[in-house]
Amino acid sequence: MDDLISVIVPVYNAEFYLRQCIDSIIKQTYTNLEIVLVNDGSTDNSGKICDEYAKKDSRIEVIHKANGGLSDARNVGISKAKGRYIGFVDSDDYIKEDMYEILLNLIKKYDADVSICNLYDVIDGNECIRNKENGIREYSRLDILKKVLLDKNIQSYAWNKLYEKELFDEIKYPIGKKYEDIGTTFYLFEKCNKIVVTSEPEYYYLKRADSLVNNVTESTILDYTEIIIQRYIYIKQNIKELRKYNNYYLAKTLITAHNDIENLENISEESCNGCGACYQKCPKQCIRMVENDRGFLIPQIGDGCVSCGLCVAVCPEKKNSYSQNEAIEVWAAADIKKENLK
């Protein structure tokens, strides 16, 4: 008999997206699925929708529980899962009909513990392929951990992956914490002998204006900073080969936290004064001065940036008001070149 895949869907107030999500799972070309819908105390019609689908498809099991957050919902789903393999789909996302067939075939063909597919970012109905690498790549334990810390083509998302269930035997998602994937995926990968990655985009990640990543609060800043520092200490003590990569990710996290705090405080007096020094000194002339939504001129990085960091060095106020991702590219990418990371 074909191996059973348990697909876990944490559900919370997703009535406008949930049907598309479930439909994309039940239409999978690989049919030996156990679909676990964990209704995490929804206050809208999500729970009713879950029950409605359970009546239509015997592969669906619905768990209704008090609200405990995304991590708790995933952990409950894992504890109920009967499959040899586990996958996750967020309730506002959806997947291609052959995603799990492709991911399982990759695990079988390459004798891997985890398989990963590429994804689409869905923004206002537009689908954009996330990673541009082509083909299929195999990674050893150490190589995949380096990729996770570089955070380029391999991200820590729980979804877009298929896992051997036994990887979760001693690992749980941290309850009550946001950015829970970062606090889990690295440790799952550490237990693997081999991971295989395909460039085929099979997962549709809906970027919503009201999602966690677009609603930064003091709590979310504290959560992801705490999770990264805990992981930094663990790697420093246990995986010496990752020292440079570990330092890079910590620096990136601190930059992110700094920018988020500044945005949270919304102190315009301390933002960039638009003097243009970075623009004038940029060797590649990739910086342009643009007006932000509050009427302030700020530097913005365009094509051709080599992440030399000169724009940061020449800033007289040391307050370049780049967007979060751009600041990370300038500071952290310049730092990674100094460390000669590959």
Side-chain angles (χ1 to χ4, degrees):
M1 184 177 180
D2 292 337
D3 291 312
L4 180 66
I5 296 176
S6 296
V7 182
I8 298 168
V9 184
V11 178
Y12 180 72
N13 289 356
E15 61 181 347
F16 298 113
Y17 314 96
L18 188 54
R19 293 184 187 278
Q20 183 179 30
C21 173
I22 300 175
D23 284 338
S24 71
I25 300 172
I26 63 179
K27 293 177 181 178
Q28 288 292 292
T29 55
Y30 187 84
T31 59
N32 193 22
L33 305 176
E34 174 193 37
I35 305 169
V36 183
L37 307 178
V38 184
N39 177 31
D40 190 39
S42 296
T43 57
D44 63 2
N45 291 314
S46 295
K48 293 180 181 179
I49 294 173
C50 291
D51 291 335
E52 172 191 325
Y53 272 89
K55 293 177 182 177
K56 298 178 181 178
D57 195 317
S58 61
R59 298 174 299 172
I60 295 176
E61 177 182 356
V62 180
I63 300 170
H64 296 283
K65 60 180 287 296
N67 181 253
L70 181 56
S71 289
D72 188 45
R74 283 184 182 152
N75 290 339
V76 169
I78 293 168
S79 69
K80 301 293 184 180
K82 304 179 181 69
R84 177 178 176 183
Y85 299 98
I86 285 181
F88 300 97
V89 181
D90 281 357
S91 57
D92 51 358
D93 298 336
Y94 52 101
I95 60 179
K96 280 188 179 179
E97 63 181 13
D98 59 352
M99 187 180 95
Y100 283 116
E101 180 178 5
I102 286 176
L103 290 179
L104 182 59
N105 285 341
L106 287 172
I107 284 180
K108 297 292 188 180
K109 180 176 180 178
Y110 293 92
D111 192 26
D113 304 289
V114 174
S115 57
I116 305 173
C117 65
N118 201 353
L119 63 133
Y120 293 98
D121 289 310
V122 182
I123 307 171
D124 296 329
N126 298 312
E127 299 168 357
C128 306
I129 297 177
R130 169 71 66 89
N131 303 315
K132 303 302 182 183
E133 290 187 352
N134 295 317
I136 296 173
R137 295 172 183 260
E138 300 175 70
Y139 292 97
S140 66
R141 165 185 167 273
L142 198 60
D143 286 340
I144 198 69
L145 296 180
K146 290 177 181 178
K147 286 289 187 179
V148 170
L149 292 173
L150 290 176
D151 197 32
K152 291 291 185 181
N153 294 319
I154 306 294
Q155 291 86 25
S156 295
Y157 306 128
W159 32 264
N160 83 314
K161 300 172 177 67
L162 186 63
Y163 311 81
E164 288 268 8
K165 184 188 178 184
E166 62 185 19
L167 294 173
F168 290 91
D169 286 351
E170 298 176 359
I171 295 177
K172 306 296 180 188
Y173 287 94
I175 295 177
K177 299 294 183 183
K178 301 176 179 67
Y179 296 92
E180 69 294 324
D181 299 349
I182 297 176
T184 308
T185 302
F186 181 91
Y187 304 104
L188 292 170
F189 286 177
E190 189 192 9
K191 297 173 68 176
C192 296
N193 292 314
K194 183 189 292 185
I195 292 176
V196 60
V197 181
T198 176
S199 61
E200 286 295 320
E202 297 287 324
Y203 192 98
Y204 294 87
Y205 170 42
L206 181 62
K207 289 198 165 184
R208 295 162 47 189
D210 59 346
S211 67
L212 170 65
V213 294
N214 291 317
N215 288 276
V216 177
T217 65
E218 182 178 346
S219 174
T220 61
I221 295 172
L222 291 174
D223 279 354
Y224 73 65
T225 304
E226 178 185 349
I227 286 173
I228 293 304
I229 290 175
Q230 289 175 347
R231 190 178 72 181
Y232 173 84
I233 294 172
Y234 174 83
I235 295 172
K236 184 177 181 180
Q237 293 175 344
N238 297 283
I239 316 176
K240 306 298 183 184
E241 303 95 324
L242 297 180
R243 180 185 64 82
K244 294 178 180 180
Y245 300 85
N246 199 26
N247 291 341
Y248 163 73
Y249 202 99
L250 180 64
K252 173 179 173 177
T253 299
L254 296 177
I255 293 167
T256 303
H258 168 76
N259 289 338
D260 283 347
I261 290 170
E262 283 203 337
N263 291 334
L264 196 61
E265 293 177 347
N266 197 25
I267 305 176
S268 60
E269 293 81 7
E270 295 186 2
S271 64
C272 172
N273 61 17
C275 70
C278 55
Y279 167 77
Q280 296 167 12
K281 295 291 185 180
C282 178
K284 293 291 183 180
Q285 297 184 334
C286 63
I287 291 180
R288 59 195 178 105
M289 304 302 291
V290 299
E291 185 175 319
N292 68 8
D293 56 2
R294 299 200 303 275
F296 292 92
L297 282 175
I298 61 172
Q300 194 173 81
I301 300 171
D303 294 334
C305 179
V306 296
S307 301
C308 65
L310 181 60
C311 52
V312 177
V314 301
C315 178
E317 300 297 328
K318 306 301 180 191
K319 294 170 183 174
N320 303 64
S321 183
Y322 300 115
S323 72
Q324 175 177 313
N325 287 338
E326 289 168 342
I328 289 171
E329 291 299 324
V330 172
W331 275 284
D335 178 68
I336 198 172
K337 287 186 178 183
K338 293 176 184 176
E339 294 285 359
N340 294 318
L341 299 183
K342 297 180 180 179

